[in-house]
Amino acid sequence: PNDLAEKTKGLDPETTLFIIVSKTFTTLETLTNAREARTWLLEELTANGAIDGSDEKNAEAIKKHFVAVSTNLEKVAEFGIDPNNAFGFWNWVGGRYSVDSAVGTSLAVVFGPARFEEFLHGFHEIDEYFANTPFEKNVVVLLGMLNVWYRNFFKVASHAVLPYDQYLHRFPAYLQQLTMESNGKSVRWDGTPVTSETGEIFWGEPGTNGQHAFYQLIHQGTQLIPADFIAFVNTPNPTKDGDQDVHELFLGNYFAQTKALAFGKTADEVRAEGTPEEIVPARVFTGNRPTTSIFGVALTPFAVGELIALYEHITFVEGTVWGLDSYDQWGVELGKQLAKQITPAISQDDDALAAQDASTQSLIKFYRANREF
């Protein structure tokens, strides 16, 4: 509700279009948001006199202001959306692999069909490269195998993605679903237990923000954390600070961090700087910490498509080696099932409350005691 409230602030209902994206059109969270959006639209249109609130006018308004992306046209129609305004896709397309299908309709609307085509071409380029390049020269395969190598033989638990471009500030979060929902599993595709560690915790933040936050752990912590550094030669916003090209200053940090992680700093180098002996150990960097540099020419829709496809195929390589089905997500389903059981207990159903475990009961009782509405 908070997100919907913020997104609809200041919108003109007469020029607002909602795109409801749900493969089955039954997902609880998505449909709840969709109904809330429908309520907002009808209330706003009635308040400004655009419609009179009758069922007929309401139905017309919904058809004009809502479109769907779904494989279930019957449910789309039940909601009130004209099935002719529904964009379909294949039912085997999973959510975390769907941005280049009709699920990306909002991107096509915002950036235009030409840009979206470029985006798709980026995916296609990596698809073709991955499919047709011999494994020993296939960068996608090698990156996937490196992740397996560090996960299984060095027992690393996490993987940092560090884009030196503010426009990619949500890219690590995007990869979290792709990688952890796909390969965060302890059972193989044939139902047998896995025989090694699987999956990595993916995380990260952009560029120099991270340098002043968590890079300390990557440089000198006790955990080994492989890191992908992503940057681009050109920027759409070139500026200068006096005679200094600001983008080059930015890239200087990009180059410096990978060099520092690779080569570190010895005790003798620290001493040569005149450092007091008692603090020399604190200023030693072991180096030999793994990084991958992904350095593109420019951040274009094509490049973004390449990047997403790169990590999709890396995820597939890992899942194949570990014997996982990277395309199911039963861990997600359990939470949804339990939410349906628990929700009635939150506000009124004492029998449902009594059926919960002691911890859940305690949390719900705290909610009941402190709610303000």
Side-chain angles (χ1 to χ4, degrees):
N2 292 340
D3 196 19
L4 184 67
E6 292 297 327
K7 292 295 190 298
T8 53
K9 276 183 180 176
L11 291 185
D12 178 354
E14 294 191 55
T15 59
T16 298
L17 176 73
F18 289 97
I19 303 173
I20 310 301
V21 184
S22 177
K23 181 163 68 174
T24 63
F25 232 72
T26 59
T27 303
L28 177 62
E29 301 92 332
T30 306
L31 268 294
T32 301
N33 284 339
R35 287 191 294 269
E36 289 294 305
R38 182 174 61 188
T39 298
W40 174 87
L41 177 79
L42 297 178
E43 287 179 350
E44 292 293 314
L45 288 175
T46 302
N48 70 12
I51 61 175
D52 59 15
S54 66
D55 290 346
E56 181 183 356
K57 293 297 182 181
N58 286 351
E60 289 179 9
I62 293 167
K63 288 182 178 180
K64 290 179 180 178
H65 292 272
F66 281 81
V67 300
V69 179
S70 181
T71 61
N72 192 338
L73 295 184
E74 183 179 343
K75 290 291 183 182
V76 167
E78 283 180 19
F79 182 87
I81 297 174
D82 186 343
N84 290 321
N85 293 334
F87 300 90
F89 56 101
W90 301 274
N91 61 11
W92 46 260
V93 175
R96 57 196 177 278
Y97 299 93
S98 65
V99 68
D100 46 345
S101 71
V103 170
T105 296
S106 60
L107 297 182
V109 170
V110 172
F111 298 114
R115 291 294 192 191
F116 195 73
E117 284 288 336
E118 291 179 37
F119 181 59
L120 296 181
H121 285 311
F123 277 89
H124 183 69
E125 189 78 10
I126 295 298
D127 290 348
E128 290 295 312
Y129 171 86
F130 177 57
N132 298 314
T133 305
F135 280 5
E136 65 273 14
K137 297 179 180 179
N138 194 311
V139 173
V140 180
V141 173
L142 294 174
L143 287 173
M145 295 305 296
L146 274 173
N147 288 355
V148 172
W149 171 256
Y150 284 114
R151 184 73 184 101
N152 292 155
F153 295 95
F154 290 82
K155 308 304 179 186
V156 303
S158 75
H159 191 118
V161 177
L162 310 170
Y164 276 68
D165 193 303
Q166 186 62 27
Y167 290 122
L168 289 177
H169 73 284
R170 292 292 290 166
F171 189 57
Y174 178 87
L175 295 180
Q176 286 174 349
Q177 184 192 12
L178 168 65
T179 59
M180 294 194 283
E181 190 167 288
S182 294
N183 291 338
K185 291 157 187 174
S186 56
V187 177
R188 292 160 55 93
W189 65 268
D190 60 0
T192 61
V194 298
T195 56
S196 64
E197 291 82 4
T198 65
E200 306 137 288
I201 300 168
F202 265 69
W203 59 283
E205 288 288 337
T208 53
N209 293 351
Q211 289 175 202
H212 294 280
F214 52 77
Y215 276 39
Q216 170 65 37
L217 177 69
I218 300 176
H219 279 289
Q220 289 185 301
T222 58
Q223 302 177 56
L224 186 68
I225 302 174
D228 297 346
F229 285 75
I230 304 170
F232 298 90
V233 173
N234 298 294
T235 175
N237 301 295
T239 57
K240 283 186 175 277
D241 179 18
D243 293 331
Q244 174 67 61
D245 183 305
V246 175
H247 186 59
E248 290 184 357
L249 178 64
F250 192 52
L251 290 178
N253 283 270
Y254 169 73
F255 299 136
Q257 291 297 325
T258 53
K259 181 175 181 178
L261 287 164
F263 301 109
K265 197 173 189 179
T266 66
D268 287 341
E269 289 173 324
V270 175
R271 292 188 184 98
E273 295 173 346
T275 305
E277 188 63 29
E278 63 270 19
I279 61 173
V280 166
R283 297 191 178 183
V284 170
F285 293 78
T286 59
N288 199 32
R289 304 214 171 202
T291 66
T292 297
S293 294
I294 300 173
F295 199 26
V297 175
L299 181 59
T300 61
F302 181 86
V304 175
E306 286 187 307
L307 276 173
I308 295 174
L310 170 65
Y311 282 94
E312 286 183 349
H313 291 308
I314 287 172
T315 300
F316 169 73
V317 170
E318 293 174 322
T320 301
V321 173
W322 287 324
L324 305 175
D325 181 349
S326 298
Y327 305 100
D328 63 21
Q329 59 281 333
W330 297 112
V332 177
E333 300 304 321
L334 176 60
K336 292 181 179 180
Q337 293 167 4
L338 290 177
K340 290 180 179 179
Q341 297 171 17
I342 293 172
T343 300
I346 295 176
S347 59
Q348 76 280 355
D349 192 332
D350 290 335
D351 290 337
L353 178 62
Q356 305 306 319
D357 62 274
S359 174
T360 304
Q361 284 184 19
S362 179
L363 292 169
I364 292 174
K365 288 176 182 177
F366 178 84
Y367 166 77
R368 287 185 178 187
N370 290 279
R371 63 185 174 190
E372 297 178 355
F373 53 88

